[in-house]
Each structure stands twice: as structure tokens, then as C-alpha cells.
Amino acid sequence: VTLVALAFCLIFAAFNASQNLTTTLHSQYGFLALAIVYASLTMTSFVAPIVLNKMGIRWTLILSSSMYSLFVLASGFSNDILLLVSSF
């Protein structure tokens, strides 16, 4: 449990830093990408219990952390299309 908590703490720290980087590097699409991220988080929160029951805790955590990591990675590139696709 401690390892998982530490891993998610580091993922969210990187995600928080990438939000600042995204709005700085992608002045035109940075705020749109963050709006898409938070809209997606809001919409998927309604189906999260179903996904959790189907996939199990371990695979749900792996899937969710990989989505955060994908967005953090995409925010470092100067490709706006990649940033917007990774926001979903």
C-alpha cells in the first residue's frame, strides 16, 4: 500500500508540474487540453466503479497511471495534436 501511495504521489506531482508546463509551452492549446483532461475525469468518474469491478484494482490502477503518464509525456513535446489526443 505504501508503494502504491508513493507511486501515485509522484505521478500527481509530475502531472501538476506538467500542467504548468503545458500552459506555458502550448499557449494556444494548453488550456483546451487541460479542459479536456478535467472533462474526461468528470465523465469517467461515473463509469469508474464498473471498470473497477470488471478489471480489478490492479489493472485499473495500471490503466489510470498510464493515462496520466501519457499526458505528462505528451506535454513535453511541441506537437499540439499529440497533446490534445493524449488529453482524452
Side-chain angles (χ1 to χ4, degrees):
V1 173
T2 305
L3 183 62
V4 172
L6 179 64
F8 267 92
C9 179
L10 293 175
I11 286 172
F12 287 126
F15 181 72
N16 191 16
S18 73
Q19 286 180 1
N20 296 331
L21 181 69
T22 299
T23 55
T24 303
L25 290 179
H26 306 277
S27 59
Q28 199 170 30
Y29 293 106
F31 291 109
L32 177 62
L34 291 176
I36 292 171
V37 166
Y38 285 110
S40 297
L41 288 173
T42 302
M43 298 308 288
T44 57
S45 67
F46 295 112
V47 297
I50 298 168
V51 173
L52 185 62
N53 287 334
K54 296 279 185 189
M55 293 178 59
I57 294 172
R58 171 187 259 171
W59 289 108
T60 305
L61 287 173
I62 290 171
L63 179 66
S64 63
S65 63
S66 64
M67 293 296 116
Y68 276 111
S69 301
L70 178 68
F71 180 76
V72 170
L73 183 67
S75 67
F77 293 105
S78 62
N79 189 346
D80 292 331
I81 301 300
L82 179 65
L83 178 69
L84 292 176
V85 169
S86 69
S87 299
F88 287 100

